Amino acid sequence: MTKTIIMPNRRQFLAGSAAAAGTLAMPSILRAQTRELVVGGAASHREWVETIVIPNFEAKYDARILYEGTRSLVNLEKMQQNQAQQYLSVVQMDDPVMILAHEAGLLEPLSAETVPNMAKLKDGAVHLDGAWVNYLQPFQAIAYNEEALPNGIESWEELWDDSMAGRVVIPSLQNTEGVFPLFMAAALETGKPVAEAQYDIEAGFRKMQALKPNLLTIYTQMPQAFNLLETGEAWAIAGALSSFTMPRRAEGSPVNLAVPREGAFAAPSGVCVVRGGPNQDLAMAYVNELLSVELQNQLTAPTFSLPTNVEAATPSDLPENIEVLSVDWANVANNRADWVQRWDREMAI
C-alpha cells in the first residue's frame, strides 16, 4: 500500500523556520536557540489551543509550539509512519485511538515524577498505568429540544417512553459515542451500574431493540442530528457532547443538555507523549501544564468541559457534582468490530 510521506514536509518547515531566523540580527539568535515542540490534536481544538494553551506555555518555558490539527486516526497514522524518527512530541486524541497507539508501542509512559499534576487528577483520568491521561472531560448525555420537552429529561429511561415515538436520535455504533447509549441500555435492562453492565452486551442490544419504535434516525454525522433537533423534528439525541450542544444553545438554538439521574459519560479527551519524539522533557512539561489548575480553569468554560484536576473549578453554567461514568475502552477495542456487525444486523430501521 502506498503511504503518504508526512515527516519531510514538517522537517522542511521547521528547518526553513530555523534558517529564516538565522538570517536576522541579534534577536534572531535568541529565537534560534528556542526549543520547538510539535503537538498533534483535533482540528476543532485549534482555537483554544492557539489562544490559551500555547501562549501560556511559550511564555513560561521560552519554547515554540506548532499545533497540527487533524483527526485522531490521522495522528495515529503519523506516529506509525514516523516511528523510526518521530517529529510529533505530544498528541491529544480520543481514548479508543490511544489504546491502538499504546498497543503499537508509540506512547512514552507518564508518571508523577515527570508529570507532577497527575497526582491531582480525578479517578479514571489516568489510563493503563500512565500510558496517557485525560486533560478535560467534555461529557455526553442527552441533548433535547426545549420547546418540545420544556421540562427536560430526568432519566435515560424516558427515551423508551411511548410519548417519544419517532422522536429519538442515536449515534451509530461506528461512532465513538455510539457505545454510550448501548452501555446505558445494558444498565437499564439489568439494573446494574454502568461499570458492570457495560460487559453485559446481550442486555444492551436487547434494550436497544426495544427503542426502535421511538427512533427517528441513527446518525453517523453529529451536525445532521442537531439539525433535526433544532427544527423540532427530533426531540432528543442520546450521547450528545457538551462541547457540541452548549455552544449552539449559547447562539440561541432551542436546545439544552440533560444530565439524567443515572449520570453522563466522560468523553475520551486524552493527551500523551510520543515515544521517541523530540524534547521529551518539554513534552512532559506540556502535559503537566495541560493538567494544571491554572490552565484548566481557563479551558473549561470555552470548551464546555469539566476539569480533570480535582482542584480546578467547574464553570457556573455547567452542572456540578454530576456522576461522570467511565468506559472500559480496552473492552470496547477488543469487541467493537463484532458489535458493529451485530448493530448493522439488528438495529436497521
Side-chain angles (χ1 to χ4, degrees):
M1 180 177 68
T2 302
K3 294 183 178 179
T4 302
I5 304 300
I6 300 170
M7 184 174 65
N9 289 338
R10 178 58 51 208
R11 286 177 168 170
Q12 289 166 359
F13 174 85
L14 295 177
S17 298
T23 62
L24 302 177
M26 189 62 184
S28 70
I29 295 175
L30 296 177
R31 284 200 294 275
Q33 295 172 338
T34 299
R35 293 196 296 170
E36 295 173 316
L37 208 58
V38 183
V39 176
S44 60
H45 294 175
R46 179 180 296 281
E47 182 175 355
W48 59 262
V49 170
E50 292 189 341
T51 59
I52 300 175
V53 178
I54 290 178
N56 275 273
F57 189 85
E58 289 184 341
K60 189 170 183 178
Y61 291 89
D62 190 24
R64 178 173 179 264
I65 295 180
L66 178 65
Y67 184 75
E68 289 194 345
T70 179
R71 294 182 294 112
S72 292
L73 287 174
V74 173
N75 278 321
L76 175 63
E77 185 179 2
K78 292 178 183 178
M79 296 161 70
Q80 290 171 323
Q81 289 185 357
N82 298 306
Q83 194 164 0
Q85 192 169 3
Q86 299 283 2
Y87 76 91
L88 288 168
S89 292
V90 176
V91 172
Q92 299 166 206
M93 58 186 182
D94 294 344
D95 287 7
V97 185
M98 287 288 190
I99 290 174
L100 301 177
H102 174 67
E103 291 175 348
L106 297 169
L107 307 186
E108 185 66 30
L110 312 176
S111 69
E113 286 73 32
T114 55
V115 183
N117 283 325
M118 282 178 63
K120 300 177 181 178
L121 294 183
K122 294 177 178 176
D123 291 342
V126 179
H127 299 273
L128 297 178
D129 297 325
W132 77 92
V133 295
N134 292 130
Y135 55 93
L136 288 174
Q137 285 184 329
F139 53 95
Q140 296 188 270
I142 303 175
Y144 65 96
N145 184 298
E146 288 185 303
E147 295 171 353
L149 301 172
N151 296 321
I153 297 177
E154 296 183 357
S155 168
W156 286 81
E157 188 72 63
E158 292 178 31
L159 298 178
W160 279 261
D161 191 271
D162 290 343
S163 64
M164 299 287 278
R167 298 295 187 176
V168 176
V169 175
I170 60 174
S172 166
L173 202 53
Q174 295 180 26
N175 293 35
T176 298
E177 69 271 22
V179 300
F180 299 143
L182 179 62
F183 291 163
M184 182 54 73
L188 296 174
E189 180 75 358
T190 62
K192 299 176 183 176
V194 169
E196 298 176 26
Q198 63 183 305
Y199 303 105
D200 193 344
I201 211 64
E202 290 296 328
F205 272 101
R206 192 163 58 245
K207 185 71 171 178
M208 290 305 292
Q209 285 186 317
L211 184 63
K212 289 175 72 173
N214 285 4
L215 293 182
L216 172 63
T217 190
I218 300 173
Y219 76 84
T220 55
Q221 300 293 325
M222 192 177 288
Q224 296 172 354
F226 268 84
N227 287 339
L228 294 172
L229 190 69
E230 289 171 331
T231 61
E233 190 171 352
W235 290 358
I237 301 174
L241 196 65
S242 60
S243 58
F244 202 93
T245 308
M246 301 310 287
R248 287 173 179 258
R249 174 177 170 76
E251 293 171 358
S253 292
V255 301
N256 206 344
L257 189 67
V259 180
R261 59 175 174 267
E262 294 89 352
F265 290 89
S269 298
V271 60
C272 68
V273 170
V274 180
R275 176 167 291 171
N279 297 320
Q280 292 274 293
D281 60 328
L282 205 58
M284 295 292 179
Y286 179 91
V287 175
N288 195 55
E289 290 300 316
L290 210 52
L291 304 184
S292 69
V293 173
E294 294 77 12
L295 206 49
Q296 294 210 351
N297 279 341
Q298 295 181 60
L299 292 175
T300 49
T303 60
F304 298 93
S305 302
L306 301 173
T308 55
N309 188 315
V310 296
E311 297 178 1
T314 299
S316 59
D317 56 346
L318 293 180
E320 287 190 79
N321 302 320
I322 66 173
E323 184 175 4
V324 180
L325 307 167
S326 298
V327 166
D328 181 352
W329 290 110
N331 179 53
V332 174
N334 290 335
N335 295 285
R336 188 171 178 179
D338 291 339
W339 294 349
V340 169
Q341 287 185 3
R342 182 172 178 177
W343 177 275
D344 291 342
R345 243 186 1 256
E346 299 183 7
M347 291 303 296
I349 56 175

